[in-house]
Amino acid sequence: MKYVKYVNKLPAKIDNMKWVIPACFGLSVALTAAGIILLLSRGFSDMEAGWLFSIGADIFCMSICVMLCFSCVLNLKGRNEQTYVFVSLLTVNALAMFLDEVSWIIQGIAELRYLNITVNVFAFVDGIVLVYLFWQYIRKALGMNNTLMHATDTMLNLLLVPTLLLCVVNFFYPLYFRVDENGFYQRTDKWYISQMYLFVALMIVLLELMMSKSSRRDKMVAASFAAIPLLNQALTGYTFGLSTQYASMLVSVVLIYGVLFADREKTIASTELELGVATRIQADILPNKFPFMPERSEFDLYASMTPAKEVGGDFYDFFMIDDNRLALVIADVSDKGIPAALFMMSSKILIKNCAMSGESPAKVLETVNREICESNHEEMFVTVWLGILNLTDGNLTAANAGHEYPIIQKPGGEFEIVKNKHSFVVGGMEGVKYREYDMQLDPGSKLFLYTDGVPEAENIEEQQYGYERFLATLNRRKEGTPAQILAAVKRDVRTFCGEQPQFDDLTMLCIHFLGKPKGEKYEMKELTLEAAVGNIEKVTEFVNRELNRLDCPMKAQTQIAIAIDELFGNIAKYAYHPDIGNATVRFEVEEEPLSVIITFIDNGIPFNPLEQAEPDTHQSAEDRPAGGLGIFLVKKTMTMVEYEYKNGQNILRIKKSLK
């Protein structure tokens, strides 16, 4: 996703140049003011009418540049790459007209002869730069981007350097002009060479227009306006006394901007309206009413998504699958903007629909991946973390499809990253098998989920926010509510980034698992599974989860584990032999005194293990007959052990007091 992130940063890099427009405006104002001051200082008494006309045209056009630059300063939303070229073009044009004005003001002043030469050399240099920017301006305005354009662009870049050097030659040799001993400017017979770059550039513009994919209307408009400087040159090129070449260039620039961008601004306004609607739709599709299920006391949850653009590709979700299971989702689509938003919405709906069917997280992701891959023509993908939390015991089953690691705070501890098994992204490849894992959330635990926009947020020096700073912020607010924790992280990320615009979505979800309130009656739990020796561990884990919620002493927990090993092992070995069947383990709690009752139920052959004769523990192990010792230990360590055969079922019940 590195290329995607680089592309998303381009608008941010342009926005980092926001100082350019005010600077150009300030320079244009300074040039205009300096031009007026110089004219007033010089006076009008000995100036010819043609000189005054040229000076007046220069000052008038500089004033237009000032006003246009000021409008770009105010138009914050309309700034783009074309705007920066436009403002640069205006400023260079203003500088050219200022130099032209100065050359007229010092005309005929012998003691300023060398200043006159210097000003005119810079005027020629400025004119070449102006032509180059004019070419770039039209190219960007019409979006010309083909092989021929790159070749001609390279040619103009190569011609720029020798053309500028030829201007500098006039410091030492009168190639284009000379200034006589009386301070009067005069063109040489080689002056036409200075106009070759303008002629070549405009011919290339016209050729590019013919071959571009722009509309016929845009081609005709740009061609007619690009021809204005050529027409002006044809009419006034050999008429000394009127300098209107820069004014004609300004007229062409303004007309192109006004005509070609008029419809584009309407389109932008329409697009902004549509994006506003899309933003509201996306905000509504994500759960945003907090607190979520305030009637439930087992958890507190909060989430937020701050898109980098008007709409984002990240999403979160949370919903109840049944009365006791809460699904948690956080995901990141491999793109930004409208396409990612559409992909995000379809992915979110698919994940929720599949999860509501009761499938495990791994199965849900496999189904969603298959559905997406069937019609993923844009070849987009999404990273997903999906977890299903059992609110009765805090057991969390999760699957991670290439997403960021979750962060967990255990009761009284610090936030820590929990590295788990990753699988491939969703939508990236058909036939992927997803792995899942279990985590235990004890009452008081917090789970923090996020997208990579948080740790990878960058400041102006392109330094990343990073996991170390991320964890430090979480741990400073570890006692806060989920809403307070999210607000603290978002605030710290913004402070770190400073003026650097956000380039990736910031999406976070935090849940505080509280468990059942003290004094609440414990519900009966059941686990049904195949009666096999390999499942003894699963039965032990099931019972231990419930015992942990009751703060069961370690000694009692160990004794119960031994009893499970013996009793479930007997069912696995003898109940259905040689066939295979299921067994159910039921867990119940008695309040006074606090005790647990564990019941083992199977449909195998009738068998009462309590009828076995107790072993003689005084005999040595070699002399004592095999068998019976396990049941003997169960009887000795449990508070009660009883058996009954009822409705075709073996029912063995053990009770253990925890007080």
Side-chain angles (χ1 to χ4, degrees):
M1 298 174 70
K2 296 297 182 185
Y3 172 74
V4 174
K5 291 178 181 177
Y6 173 75
V7 172
N8 290 331
K9 288 182 184 180
L10 289 180
K13 291 180 181 296
I14 290 176
D15 196 59
N16 287 337
M17 296 171 61
K18 57 188 177 183
W19 57 269
V20 170
I21 294 180
C24 288
F25 168 68
L27 181 57
S28 299
V29 171
L31 291 172
T32 305
I36 295 173
I37 293 171
L38 285 174
L39 177 61
L40 295 176
S41 301
R42 171 70 166 80
F44 308 93
S45 58
D46 57 345
M47 283 193 179
E48 297 180 10
W51 301 4
L52 290 173
F53 174 83
S54 296
I55 292 172
D58 288 334
I59 293 177
F60 176 73
C61 290
M62 281 192 287
S63 302
I64 293 176
C65 291
V66 169
M67 289 186 289
L68 291 173
C69 286
F70 183 65
S71 68
C72 292
V73 170
L74 297 179
N75 186 17
L76 296 176
K77 290 186 177 180
R79 292 182 184 178
N80 51 35
E81 194 174 1
Q82 290 92 338
T83 307
Y84 284 94
V85 177
F86 176 65
V87 172
S88 301
L89 198 55
L90 290 175
T91 308
V92 174
N93 210 316
L95 178 59
M97 288 181 285
F98 173 75
L99 293 171
D100 184 69
E101 177 195 357
V102 173
S103 69
W104 286 115
I105 289 176
I106 63 177
Q107 182 78 339
I109 303 177
E111 55 267 28
L112 297 179
R113 176 174 176 269
Y114 290 105
L115 177 60
N116 200 341
I117 294 173
T118 302
V119 168
N120 278 283
V121 168
F122 279 110
F124 274 99
V125 170
D126 192 271
I128 300 301
V129 174
L130 185 60
V131 171
Y132 177 78
L133 288 176
F134 184 71
W135 149 250
Q136 297 292 336
Y137 174 65
I138 292 181
R139 182 172 67 84
K140 293 183 183 299
L142 295 179
M144 295 186 293
N145 188 19
N146 52 44
T147 304
L148 178 61
M149 184 280 297
H150 287 296
T152 52
D153 196 32
T154 302
M155 183 181 72
L156 284 177
N157 289 337
L158 293 175
L159 288 176
L160 183 62
V161 175
T163 305
L164 292 174
L165 290 177
L166 285 176
C167 296
V168 176
V169 167
N170 288 269
F171 275 119
F172 315 100
Y173 176 78
L175 180 63
Y176 297 155
F177 69 91
R178 66 172 57 89
V179 179
D180 62 21
E181 297 300 326
N182 296 319
F184 285 96
Y185 172 92
Q186 297 173 352
R187 292 172 180 169
T188 67
D189 55 0
K190 295 183 179 62
W191 173 82
Y192 67 91
I193 299 176
S194 67
Q195 305 302 303
M196 295 305 295
Y197 191 82
L198 169 64
F199 180 79
V200 172
L202 291 179
M203 288 298 100
I204 289 175
V205 167
L206 295 175
L207 178 63
E208 282 290 335
L209 286 172
M210 292 173 58
M211 302 187 65
S212 74
K213 295 181 180 180
S214 303
S215 67
R216 177 177 293 182
R217 171 185 174 276
D218 284 359
K219 288 182 181 181
M220 295 298 294
V221 169
S224 60
F225 293 155
I228 290 176
L230 283 178
L231 181 61
N232 174 81
Q233 202 64 30
L235 294 175
T236 65
Y238 294 94
T239 304
F240 180 71
L242 295 176
S243 54
T244 57
Q245 66 269 31
Y246 301 129
S248 67
M249 189 76 78
L250 176 62
V251 169
S252 183
V253 169
V254 173
L255 288 176
I256 290 175
Y257 187 83
V259 176
L260 292 187
F261 286 92
D263 292 339
R264 202 163 300 177
E265 289 295 328
K266 292 179 182 178
T267 303
I268 291 173
S270 176
T271 302
E272 288 180 349
L273 178 61
E274 293 173 357
L275 284 174
V277 175
T279 302
R280 291 193 294 274
I281 291 174
Q282 186 177 55
D284 290 339
I285 200 173
L286 297 178
N288 52 25
K289 293 182 179 179
F290 300 100
F292 172 62
M293 300 188 71
E295 69 277 8
R296 301 295 296 253
S297 58
E298 298 100 319
F299 64 90
D300 181 20
L301 183 152
Y302 195 81
S304 70
M305 195 277 282
T306 307
K309 296 185 177 181
E310 287 78 1
V311 289
D314 289 4
F315 69 91
Y316 63 82
D317 203 1
F318 45 85
F319 48 89
M320 297 297 299
I321 296 176
D322 52 39
D323 288 342
N324 294 314
R325 289 188 297 165
L326 171 66
L328 304 168
V329 184
I330 193 159
D332 185 359
V333 176
S334 62
D335 204 349
K336 299 293 176 285
I338 295 294
L342 294 174
F343 193 82
M344 158 256 180
M345 291 181 186
S346 62
S347 301
K348 176 185 178 300
I349 293 170
L350 282 172
I351 292 173
K352 183 171 183 178
N353 288 344
C354 293
M356 290 298 292
S357 68
E359 294 282 2
S360 68
K363 291 296 183 183
V364 169
L365 294 184
E366 288 174 12
T367 302
V368 173
N369 182 66
R370 184 174 61 253
E371 293 287 337
I372 290 177
C373 287
E374 285 179 358
S375 57
N376 189 11
H377 303 300
E378 298 301 322
E379 297 184 349
M380 300 175 72
F381 62 85
V382 58
T383 66
V384 183
W385 187 95
L386 168 63
I388 297 177
L389 175 63
N390 191 322
L391 298 176
T392 60
D393 58 14
N395 182 57
L396 177 70
T397 303
N400 191 333
H403 198 74
E404 302 295 314
Y405 293 120
I407 299 176
I408 292 181
Q409 179 205 12
K410 294 182 178 180
E414 300 277 301
F415 276 102
E416 296 178 349
I417 296 175
V418 178
K419 295 189 175 182
N420 43 59
K421 299 175 182 178
H422 268 206
S423 300
F424 199 59
V425 297
V426 173
M429 183 172 61
E430 295 181 3
V432 176
K433 296 296 182 182
Y434 291 90
R435 297 175 293 183
E436 61 188 27
Y437 58 93
D438 289 328
M439 292 190 295
Q440 181 63 39
L441 296 187
D442 297 324
S445 299
K446 291 189 179 84
L447 172 68
F448 193 95
L449 307 172
Y450 56 97
T451 58
D452 58 7
V454 179
E456 295 182 9
E458 292 185 354
N459 60 16
I460 200 73
E461 287 86 22
E462 297 189 354
Q463 297 172 332
Q464 290 192 346
Y465 185 67
Y467 287 95
E468 184 176 349
R469 187 186 301 268
F470 188 10
L471 289 171
T473 301
L474 289 172
N475 286 316
R476 280 197 300 270
R477 295 307 304 268
K478 63 183 180 182
E479 303 299 330
T481 65
Q484 292 169 339
I485 292 172
L486 261 67
V489 173
K490 187 183 296 185
R491 186 167 53 249
D492 196 58
V493 169
R494 286 177 178 171
T495 301
F496 172 80
C497 294
E499 295 184 358
Q500 176 77 348
Q502 179 185 338
F503 74 88
D504 200 1
D505 303 335
L506 295 179
T507 306
M508 298 175 283
L509 185 154
C510 182
I511 181 171
H512 185 191
F513 178 67
L514 302 170
K516 289 187 176 294
K518 292 183 179 180
E520 184 174 339
K521 184 178 179 180
Y522 288 89
E523 299 177 1
M524 180 188 70
K525 308 291 190 315
E526 278 191 358
L527 174 67
T528 300
L529 69 176
E530 182 181 305
V533 174
N535 283 332
I536 293 176
E537 184 177 352
K538 292 184 178 180
V539 176
T540 305
E541 290 177 355
F542 163 69
V543 173
N544 282 343
R545 280 199 299 269
E546 302 302 321
L547 294 175
N548 288 336
R549 297 179 61 220
L550 299 170
D551 295 326
C552 175
M554 183 54 65
K555 180 180 179 181
Q557 191 166 340
T558 302
Q559 291 171 341
I560 292 173
I562 293 172
I564 292 172
D565 185 79
E566 173 66 22
L567 300 176
F568 195 84
N570 283 341
I571 296 173
K573 294 175 183 176
Y574 308 118
Y576 299 101
H577 186 76
D579 298 322
I580 298 175
N582 290 336
T584 297
V585 180
R586 182 179 298 158
F587 185 93
E588 299 173 272
V589 178
E590 284 187 357
E591 299 286 348
E592 296 294 338
L594 182 61
S595 305
V596 296
I597 299 173
I598 304 172
T599 306
F600 299 85
I601 305 171
D602 67 80
N603 295 306
I605 60 175
F607 175 71
N608 182 2
L610 303 183
E611 292 179 347
Q612 290 184 343
E614 293 186 359
D616 185 356
T617 56
H618 297 290
Q619 288 183 309
S620 64
E622 292 81 6
D623 298 333
R624 188 171 61 245
L629 184 59
I631 291 295
F632 175 75
L633 291 175
V634 172
K635 290 179 181 179
K636 291 295 183 181
T637 56
M638 296 298 106
T639 306
M640 177 270 293
V641 182
E642 60 182 21
Y643 167 85
E644 65 174 327
Y645 185 80
K646 184 177 180 181
N647 298 326
Q649 293 180 321
N650 292 299
I651 303 173
L652 180 65
R653 188 176 292 108
I654 61 174
K655 179 178 181 179
K656 179 66 177 177
S657 175
L658 303 185
K659 296 295 184 180

